[in-house]
Amino acid sequence: MTGPAFPQDLKQKAEAFRSAGLRRLFADDPGRFDALSFGFEDLLLDLSKMHWDRETIAGLAAFARERGMEDRRAAMFSGEAINETEARAVLHVALRNRGDAPVLVDGRDVMPGVRETLARMEAFANGIRDGSILSAAGRPFTDVVNIGIGGSDLGPAMVTAALAPFADGPRLHYVSNVDGAHIADTLKGLDPRSTLVIVASKTFTTIETMTNARTARQWIVKALGESAVGAHFAAVSTALDKVGAFGIDPARVFGFWDWVGGRYSVWSAIGLPVMIAIGPEGFAQFLEGAHALDRHFLEAEATENLPVLLGLAGIWHRNFCGFPARAILPYDQRLARLPAYLQQLDMESNGKRVTLSGEPVDCATGPLVWGEPGTNGQHAFYQLLHQGTDVIPCEFIVAASGHEPELAHHHALLVANCLAQSEALMNGRTREEAEALLAGEGKSAAEIARLAPHKVFPGNRPSLTIVHDRLTPRALGRLIALYEHRVFVEGAIWNINSFDQWGVELGKVLANELLPMLDGREPAEGRDSSTLGLLDRLRSR
Ligand code: F6P
C-alpha cells in the first residue's frame, strides 16, 4: 500500500465549501455549531468553523477505515510491533491503563512492571516531598533539576508548568540545551546541599544530556564531595546498564521500556519530576484523564470520536485544502510550552516521506506545527494569520475558568480574545465594511480609497476550538492523549510509521565528526567549503 488516493467527491466538496465561505455556511444553517461540535466529559471540540459538514466527516471516517486506521489502532492497543522499523510495540497507553486487563507484549503482561515502577516512583516522590529522604548534607530537598532533552524534557517541563496550581512539592527546574548557558543559569541560583538532580534519558547516550549530567555531577562533587553523588542523583532510563556506569544508586533508578517512544513517555518514569511537584495523587489523576480518553478513542463511533475527528480535521486541512501548517494557540499562559511539546509529538512522528513499506509517499504528510499562547501571539504573529498570503488553520484551546477566582476579569478578557480571534479569522472584514468604518472616522473619499485595501481581512480562514472546564491534571492528561491519538490517526491514513525518528540521526553523526575538528584534535578537512569556512571562523575567534 502506498500513499492514499484521496476520494474525488470529497476533494470537490472541499472546493465547494471554500468557495461558499464560512460566513455563508453559518448564515445558511443556524444549527451548524450543534451539528459540528463534539463532546467527551467536559471536553468540547468545536469543528464548525471549518469547510466541511457532517456528511464530509462521514466520508472521511469511511476513508480512514479503508486505510486501515481502525485495524492499526487495535494492533497498537494489543501490543503488536507496529513500529516496524524498530520492531517495537507502541504501548504508551499501557502506562496509563487503570483497568485490570493484562496488556501483552510478546505474550507477556507488561502491567505488573508498570505498576511496580509506579509504586517505586510514588515511594521516592513521597520521600522527597515529605523530607524523609534527605540530602548528603542532611537537608530536605528544596529544588529538583531534571536533565533531559526532547521527550525526556518537553513532556515533564510542559506538564509541570501547566499544573503549577497543584504543585506543593520542591521547586522544579529543567535543563535541556547543551549550551552551557542553560545549566549555568539554572545552577547559579541553587544550593547543592538541597538540590536533587534527575538524569532522564531513554537511551542514556544522548550527548546533550550526558554532558549536562556530568557538569551537574561536578557541581555536586565540588560542593559536597564524591560520596554525595548517591544521595543527590536519580535517573530515569530504559538503559539500566549505562545508568549503573554513571554511578547512580540502583535504588534511585527508574526504568521504562522500549515500547515507550521518547515523545510519548511523560506517562512513564519520565513523569517522576511531575509526581514530585504535584504528588502521586495528582499524577494518578493525570494518568486517569489520559486513560479515559484512550477508552473513548477505542470505543466511540468514528463520527463521534474526538481524536478521530481531530485527525480527520488535520487530514482535511493538509490533503484536501492544501494548508502547509497549523498553529497551536492555547489561551492559557500555563500551557506556554504546549506548542513546543506538540511540535515534537507531531513533527517527529509524522514528518515522514516514505510509507511503511519504504516507498515515497504520494501526498503531503505532517504539517509545520507551531504556536504561542494567546493573547501574546496576537501582538506578534497574528497579522500573518489574518492578512498573510497563506491560510494557516488555527487550533484554539481555552478553559471556561481559571485558577484565580479573584482575577476572574482577567479570565473573561482572555476568553473574549480567544473567541474574537476565531470569529475574525472566519468573518474577516469586507471592502464595504472597511469603507464604512473609515467613513465613520470622518475620512475623505480619497483617504477611504487609499486605506480601505489595507483594512480588508479576507476571512474564510478555518479554525477549531477545544474547550474544557479547567486545566486540572485529569483535563491535561485527556488533552495530551487527544493530540497523541490525532497524530496516530493521521499517520495511519498516510500509511507512515509515526513511531520512529531516523531523521534526527544524521545531524548527530555529523556533530560527532565535527567536534574534534572544532577543538583541534583533528585537522579540519574533507568537508564542503562552507562548513570549512565556518569552522575556521569559529575556531579563530
Ligand atoms: O533525537 C531525538 C530523540 O531521540 C527524541 O526522540 C528523544 O525524545 C530525545 O532524542 C531524547 O532521547 P533520550 O531520552 O534517549 O535522551
Side-chain angles (χ1 to χ4, degrees), residues 146 150-162 172 174 200 265-266 270-274 341:
N146 187 81
S152 300
D153 166 74
L154 284 163
M158 182 275 283
V159 172
T160 302
L172 260 297
Y174 289 88
S265 64
V266 67
I270 290 289
L272 179 64
V274 176
Y341 175 81

Side-chain angles (χ1 to χ4, degrees), residues 205 207 505-517 521-522 527:
T205 54
I207 193 136
E505 296 302 322
L506 181 59
K508 290 186 193 175
V509 172
L510 297 186
N512 282 332
E513 287 174 18
L514 288 167
L515 184 62
M517 298 185 196
R521 280 179 287 149
E522 282 179 19
R527 326 296 288 198

Side-chain angles (χ1 to χ4, degrees), residues 149-152 201-203 206 209 262-263 344 348 501 504 508:
I149 196 166
S152 300
S201 174
K202 180 176 170 183
T203 55
T206 305
T209 299
R263 54 194 175 275
Q344 186 200 16
E348 202 164 79
Q501 58 285 318
V504 299
K508 290 186 193 175

Side-chain angles (χ1 to χ4, degrees), residues 19 65 99 103 107 118 132 158 210 263 306 324 360 362 384 406 409-411 438 463 512:
S19 64
R65 191 171 310 121
V103 179
L118 260 179
S132 58
M158 182 275 283
M210 292 304 107
R263 54 194 175 275
L306 268 58
D362 61 4
L384 185 147
E406 70 288 3
H409 58 297
H410 283 251
H411 196 75
L438 290 162
S463 68
N512 282 332

Side-chain angles (χ1 to χ4, degrees), residues 429-454:
R429 183 195 281 147
T430 63
R431 174 85 186 211
E432 294 70 39
E433 287 165 345
E435 286 175 355
L437 195 79
L438 290 162
E441 290 168 7
K443 296 277 194 282
S444 69
E447 282 285 84
I448 291 174
R450 188 174 72 80
L451 290 175
H454 301 277

